[in-house]
Amino acid sequence: MELLHQFSSGLFIIQSIIFLVLLFILGKFAWKPILKSIDERETSIIDALNQAKLAKQEMAQLKEDNERILREARAERDGILKEAREMKDKIVNDAKDSAKAEGEKMIEAARQSIQTEKNAAMADIKNQIGTLSVNIAENILREKLNNDGAHNTLVENILNKSNLN
């Protein structure tokens, strides 16, 4: 129940805007270069495969050379594919880690902001209560001390109490 009273729609909107800006920045500056790198890698792999096929056709006359070239082409292709997979996995994992860290930073900043706003609101409430208490006490004293007899009685009570202590 208490959490519903602390919800701030303005803070929610600001956090949503920050999240959308972060997604936009990641989409514009991070994902495009990653995808471009992957596309270039895929093109280079396709080129390597095409070159292997051409080499196989050209070397069909020489069986021994053909087998050697095929083994080398397969090994190269497997190495390139393995390297591409490793690079893709590394890039994806780095992007995930970065996004997770940034998200955690944003959440922590939001928590600190909420705590700061809560403390400021509590201080303001305490100040208002203090001011209200002083005003109430002032009004009560004015009403009680409207006549001179009440003044004299109050002074005598204070003097008597201070002599006793």
Side-chain angles (χ1 to χ4, degrees):
M1 283 279 203
E2 188 175 276
L3 290 175
L4 293 176
H5 295 290
Q6 293 178 354
F7 179 77
S8 171
S9 61
L11 181 61
F12 176 76
I13 291 170
I14 289 172
Q15 289 175 343
S16 297
I17 291 170
I18 290 171
F19 179 72
L20 292 174
V21 168
L22 176 65
L23 283 179
F24 174 75
I25 290 171
L26 284 175
K28 183 147 182 114
F29 297 107
W31 290 111
K32 287 181 182 180
I34 291 170
L35 292 176
K36 182 180 176 186
S37 173
I38 291 173
D39 287 341
E40 289 174 358
R41 193 54 135 170
E42 182 179 324
T43 303
S44 71
I45 292 170
I46 290 171
D47 289 342
L49 291 173
N50 289 336
Q51 289 175 2
K53 287 180 183 178
L54 289 175
K56 181 180 175 183
Q57 291 172 356
E58 291 174 357
M59 302 305 281
Q61 298 171 5
L62 304 171
K63 185 176 181 182
E64 293 175 14
D65 290 342
N66 188 17
E67 290 175 8
R68 182 181 52 82
I69 290 174
L70 283 174
R71 283 191 302 265
E72 290 174 4
R74 286 182 184 134
E76 183 180 349
R77 181 192 68 203
D78 291 343
I80 290 172
L81 287 172
K82 182 180 178 185
E83 185 180 327
R85 282 187 206 110
E86 289 172 356
M87 182 176 281
K88 178 196 76 149
D89 291 342
K90 182 182 181 296
I91 290 171
V92 168
N93 288 336
D94 289 348
K96 284 180 182 178
D97 292 344
S98 175
K100 182 179 178 182
E102 190 64 31
E104 288 173 359
K105 285 180 187 176
M106 289 175 62
I107 289 170
E108 184 57 33
R111 284 183 182 144
Q112 289 177 357
S113 175
I114 289 170
Q115 187 62 36
T116 302
E117 289 180 20
K118 179 182 172 184
N119 291 342
M122 290 300 288
D124 186 44
I125 289 172
K126 287 178 182 178
N127 287 339
Q128 288 179 4
I129 289 173
T131 302
L132 185 60
S133 297
V134 168
N135 287 340
I136 290 171
E138 184 179 316
N139 287 337
I140 290 172
L141 284 175
R142 276 191 194 139
E143 285 183 26
K144 290 223 176 226
L145 299 176
N146 269 343
N147 59 37
D148 289 335
H151 284 125
N152 291 335
T153 305
L154 179 63
V155 170
E156 286 176 17
N157 283 339
I158 291 173
L159 290 174
N160 289 335
K161 285 182 183 180
S162 62
N163 285 341
L164 296 175
N165 292 333

